[in-house]
Amino acid sequence: MSRTLTFVVYLLAVLLQAGAYGLTFMLPRLFATFGANEKAVGLILLVATVSTLIAVYFSGHLSDWFGRVVTLGLACLAIAAALALFALADGVNAMVVLASLLLGAGWGLTYALAPVVLTRLVTADERIRYFALHSVVLMAGFGLSPVMASQIEAAGGTIADAFLITSGLCVLSALLFFVLVAPVRRHAINPGPEARSRLSLGYVGSILKGKAVLPIIMVCLGASVFAGMNNFQTVFADARGLDYAHFFLAYTITVVICRVALAKFKGGTQPYMTIAALQYVMAGSILLFAFSGASVPAYIVVAILFGVGYGASYPVLAAMAANDAQEDLVPQTLQLFALTYFIGIFGFPLIAGWMIVELGTAPLLYLIVGLAALEATMALRRAQNDQANLTLAADKSV
């Protein structure tokens, strides 16, 4: 298999399993068929959080035993099983809890290890471009699976049918990852055995003392914003008489376009300033959503702005986590980056679900705006500090 074909197959495998996370946005609708509310969705996603954090922490151990690409294939099989269990469940019971555990573990492993495999195939100055391509297909899967679910419902099917179809796609993704084991090893930038990937408390301490601590904290905030807007978008839309498919389609198209454009972007001289600008756009889009009511054009504008803000800033932030890391701790740093991401992605819905049931959607949107503004301000402060350090270094060299 050629290097180009290896990348194509890798991206296809990522795309096929990415729809699994997009279907978590459909859990409120699936749970409604059980008579369960948003609090139950939040609690089930909290279960997924626990298994995700355990899986991410031990992802390096598993990849040291089985190899990263084989572990990715096994993780996809776990996700497939989880989706099938969700589809077959008839209530919030042990089957749903098991599905949540499998989903969290499988998604945690794929999300933590796929970027590490990518860094083995590309050089440091190629990371932003290839992370952007990776995130293009990832986001396509995220965003299009809810649209698929909407179309299935419109055709007379059920949300459970969407879960079963995506389960089959995840099995295919697993097979593709198994096929990639030898090609990835052959085309690695640094030939030879993979560097050890195990994450330990000692490594965590070293990482948190370094520059990479900022993107690690920021990604948790951004993931909370993303989860708050997307996991309960069906609830927001239903309350306003809107079609949630409009949001996900506009958001996905915007993100794909932005990330394709980023594939030629190397970060510029001030990547954190780029991140800050994009995330202020993200905060503004949520503020607009809080006041836009039932307007369909405004709803689409919100989706587009949110896609520009979050969608374009995330791959730059992920690349900065790798670039800010100590060279010998890049795999561990990316795993910790993924771990804090999942704290936000699967942990924040517990807060969001409680707020929707007890306080309504408006206070939740205001909280999300605040988190987005905080993340943007952190990036702005880092950009200003970097610029000050550059100016000081230039003055000393004169």
Side-chain angles (χ1 to χ4, degrees):
M1 189 181 294
S2 68
R3 179 180 176 82
T4 300
L5 184 57
T6 297
F7 276 114
V8 170
V9 174
Y10 166 84
L11 293 174
L12 179 59
V14 170
L15 174 66
L16 292 175
Q17 60 84 33
Y21 178 67
L23 283 187
T24 63
F25 307 154
M26 298 296 102
L27 286 177
R29 295 182 78 84
L30 181 68
F31 278 39
T33 65
F34 308 154
N37 62 22
E38 292 80 11
K39 281 185 179 180
V41 174
L43 286 171
I44 286 299
L45 289 177
L46 179 63
V47 173
T49 304
V50 174
S51 64
T52 297
L53 298 183
I54 294 172
V56 172
Y57 186 84
F58 288 104
S59 61
H61 297 70
L62 292 173
S63 61
D64 285 348
W65 292 334
F66 301 112
R68 291 175 187 142
V69 184
V70 171
T71 304
L72 284 172
L74 295 173
C76 289
L77 293 178
I79 295 172
L83 296 180
L85 289 172
F86 273 126
L88 298 173
D90 57 3
V92 182
N93 50 31
M95 181 181 290
V96 169
V97 173
L98 177 59
S100 185
L101 288 170
L102 287 171
L103 178 66
W107 188 242
L109 289 172
T110 57
Y111 199 86
L113 294 178
V116 180
V117 171
L118 194 57
T119 59
R120 186 165 166 80
L121 292 170
V122 301
T123 61
D125 63 349
E126 295 176 316
R127 282 175 181 161
I128 288 181
R129 287 176 289 173
Y130 279 94
F131 273 46
L133 286 173
H134 174 267
S135 60
V136 162
V137 296
L138 199 64
M139 190 51 62
F142 281 8
L144 293 180
S145 58
V147 176
M148 177 192 71
S150 174
Q151 293 302 308
I152 289 173
E153 284 191 302
T158 66
I159 290 293
D161 295 331
F163 277 77
L164 283 175
I165 291 170
T166 309
S167 175
L169 295 178
C170 287
V171 172
L172 180 56
S173 176
L175 296 176
L176 291 178
F177 276 123
F178 292 143
V179 169
L180 283 172
V181 173
V184 167
R185 186 181 301 117
R186 184 180 312 118
H187 296 296
I189 295 297
N190 297 313
E194 295 176 344
R196 293 181 69 82
S197 304
R198 296 188 179 196
L199 188 62
S200 68
L201 292 178
Y203 285 144
V204 170
S206 297
I207 293 167
L208 294 181
K209 292 176 183 176
K211 293 169 59 179
V213 65
L214 180 66
I216 286 171
I217 294 172
M218 287 175 61
V219 77
C220 183
L221 294 173
S224 298
V225 172
F226 180 82
M229 276 292 283
N230 287 277
N231 278 70
F232 297 98
Q233 190 55 231
T234 58
V235 178
F236 296 142
D238 288 346
R240 302 183 186 199
L242 297 166
D243 184 350
Y244 67 84
H246 291 158
F247 177 89
F248 286 114
L249 187 59
Y251 172 78
T252 302
I253 292 172
T254 302
V255 172
V256 168
I257 291 172
C258 288
R259 292 184 177 178
V260 167
L262 277 174
K264 295 184 178 180
F265 178 64
K266 294 185 177 182
T269 57
Q270 281 280 31
Y272 277 104
M273 187 63 76
T274 301
I275 293 170
L278 290 170
Q279 290 178 345
Y280 278 123
V281 171
M282 176 177 72
S285 73
I286 305 165
L287 188 61
L288 173 61
F289 186 46
F291 295 100
S292 62
S295 169
V296 175
Y299 190 45
I300 294 173
V301 170
V302 166
I304 291 171
L305 291 177
F306 190 72
V308 170
Y310 179 85
S313 66
Y314 178 82
V316 183
L317 184 62
M320 292 312 299
N323 289 348
D324 282 348
Q326 300 176 46
E327 193 59 37
D328 59 336
L329 291 179
V330 170
Q332 289 83 359
T333 300
L334 291 177
Q335 288 170 54
L336 187 57
F337 182 85
L339 191 148
T340 57
Y341 171 84
F342 279 116
I343 290 174
I345 283 292
F346 286 145
F348 188 76
L350 179 67
I351 299 172
W354 177 86
M355 291 186 70
I356 288 173
V357 173
E358 300 296 335
L359 303 175
T361 58
L364 172 61
L365 289 174
Y366 298 142
L367 174 60
I368 297 171
V369 170
L371 293 176
L374 174 60
E375 185 184 13
T377 302
M378 291 173 70
L380 178 62
R381 291 291 302 274
R382 170 63 183 271
Q384 292 171 336
N385 289 339
D386 286 349
Q387 183 59 49
N389 290 335
L390 287 172
T391 301
L392 182 60
D395 290 342
K396 287 182 178 181
S397 65
V398 173

